[in-house]
Amino acid sequence: MLEGFKNFRWLLDLLDIVLVAYIIYRIILLIKGTRAVQMLLGLAVILLVYVASQIGGLYTLHWLLDNFLSSIILVIVVIFQNDIRRALIHVGRNPFFADLSYKEETEVMEELIKATLNLANRRIGALIVIERETGLKDFLEVGVEIDAKVSSDLITSIFLPYSPIHDGALVIQQGRLKRAGCFLPLSQNPDISKTLGTRHRAAIGLTELVDAVAIVVSEETGKISVVVGGRITRDLDSTALKRVLKRLLEPKTNKKKS
């Protein structure tokens, strides 16, 4: 009986290690390519200085760092609040193509890509936000409700310069155009290129908080960018745009097709 308990304990320890390893792996994926990596490096340096001060007998420095590290949980929550929020809200899932068939999904993607290329060719500035797993209700308080089928012509008309709602973002939820003229939070990241305008900063700012995908068309250059997770991919041509959007928005389509 004692031996059976030991074997069971060994299995629990193995499960414990696997779970911790998986959590660490997901955290690394979450912060990869973000400012959180630099912050973690800064905290690592502070820990090294703390150990060195203890070994070297630097009592005042050690006392200061000891008091700082005693509140390390609170410090981590404050520093990484956006990353923690983004990770927690992934628990509740709200897929982009929630109730659409494969044919309808394909039509939505084609119309969206067609509209983006049309806007880019005509150098009409645009910001299109596509909801994925995380709801965007908090960002839809300002804007005009549409609730229409995704149409290339309609998307283009929304962003025409004389349209009263062309300055804001167009939001797509569950495969439908839901709101236009929405104002999004601008990113405060100081590392963003100075050449990027308000639309690009709004796209980065929103995707730093939620897992949405943002498509930006530059009014000055007609270049297309896709933003996800606070990271921007610029100067996309039609082929690259299709590939990126299919990868980001159609994970379940391939399962249906097979």
Side-chain angles (χ1 to χ4, degrees), residues 127-131 136 139-140 146 169-173 176-182 184:
L127 173 54
I128 303 171
V129 176
I130 305 161
E131 181 184 84
L136 298 175
F139 306 98
L140 302 182
I146 299 175
L170 172 64
V171 177
I172 301 178
Q173 293 176 298
R176 292 182 65 82
L177 303 176
K178 285 293 186 178
R179 277 187 179 268
C182 298
L184 307 179

Side-chain angles (χ1 to χ4, degrees), residues 95-113 149-150 172 174-176 245-246 249-257:
F96 172 50
F97 293 121
D99 302 312
L100 302 183
S101 66
Y102 174 70
K103 180 182 177 182
E104 290 172 325
E105 290 181 12
T106 304
E107 290 175 353
V108 168
M109 286 292 296
E110 289 177 350
E111 289 295 312
L112 179 58
I113 293 170
K149 182 179 178 181
V150 175
I172 301 178
Q174 298 180 342
R176 292 182 65 82
L245 290 184
K246 284 180 181 295
L249 301 178
E250 291 191 340
K252 73 185 182 103
T253 297
N254 295 330
K255 294 179 184 178
K256 284 183 179 180
K257 203 171 180 181

Side-chain angles (χ1 to χ4, degrees), residues 86 89-90 92 94 131-136 209-212:
R86 189 171 41 176
I89 55 184
H90 279 195
N94 184 19
E131 181 184 84
R132 290 202 292 175
E133 296 174 358
T134 306
L136 298 175
L209 301 176
V210 298
D211 71 337

Side-chain angles (χ1 to χ4, degrees), residues 73-100:
I73 300 299
L74 180 61
V75 171
I76 289 174
V77 170
V78 172
I79 293 177
F80 301 109
Q81 55 181 314
N82 288 338
D83 301 280
I84 293 172
R85 177 185 176 185
R86 189 171 41 176
L88 290 177
I89 55 184
H90 279 195
V91 175
R93 303 204 158 192
N94 184 19
F96 172 50
F97 293 121
D99 302 312
L100 302 183

Side-chain angles (χ1 to χ4, degrees), residues 109 113 116-117 215 224-226 233-248:
M109 286 292 296
I113 293 170
T116 303
L117 295 175
I215 303 172
I224 300 171
S225 302
V226 171
T233 303
R234 304 173 66 180
D235 301 343
L236 296 174
D237 57 18
S238 58
T239 303
L241 177 63
K242 291 176 184 177
R243 183 175 65 251
V244 170
L245 290 184
K246 284 180 181 295
R247 175 173 58 82
L248 293 172

